[in-house]
Amino acid sequence: MKLQSSKLLSILVVSTAMFTAMAARAQTKPWVAPATAQAVVNPVAPDASTLKDAKVIYITNCAPCHGDKGKGDGPAAAALNPKPADHTSPALRNESDGSLFWK
């Protein structure tokens, strides 16, 4: 039970970091993580179980703004300024794990 709680906490932390990074990317000013943060590697393995858990967290916490496909077109996006970031954009996909976590 403790391992599963730890795993879910790790997923939540990573998901929150990713959401923050996506929101920051939607801003007009660049938000650059320091080099030490950019070098950090995600400690959570992207295995089937982790991805399944992450999907549940994403659908609950991120999809309302970022949409089911991560394009920034969720039902709540219309009311937001700045608009939610597109998770599929090349700029965002090129962010390091550490940069996303730092943001």
Side-chain angles (χ1 to χ4, degrees), residues 10-72:
S10 294
I11 292 168
L12 182 59
V13 168
V14 170
S15 297
T16 301
M18 288 180 65
F19 174 81
T20 302
M22 308 308 161
R25 183 59 71 180
Q27 301 294 324
T28 57
K29 296 179 182 178
W31 190 20
V32 180
T36 54
Q38 291 180 28
V40 173
V41 177
N42 185 350
V44 180
D47 59 31
S49 176
T50 300
L51 294 174
K52 180 181 175 185
D53 293 340
K55 182 177 181 178
V56 171
I57 293 169
Y58 179 87
I59 289 169
T60 303
N61 298 304
C62 308
C65 299
H66 293 280
D68 291 338
K69 303 290 183 191
K71 297 273 189 186

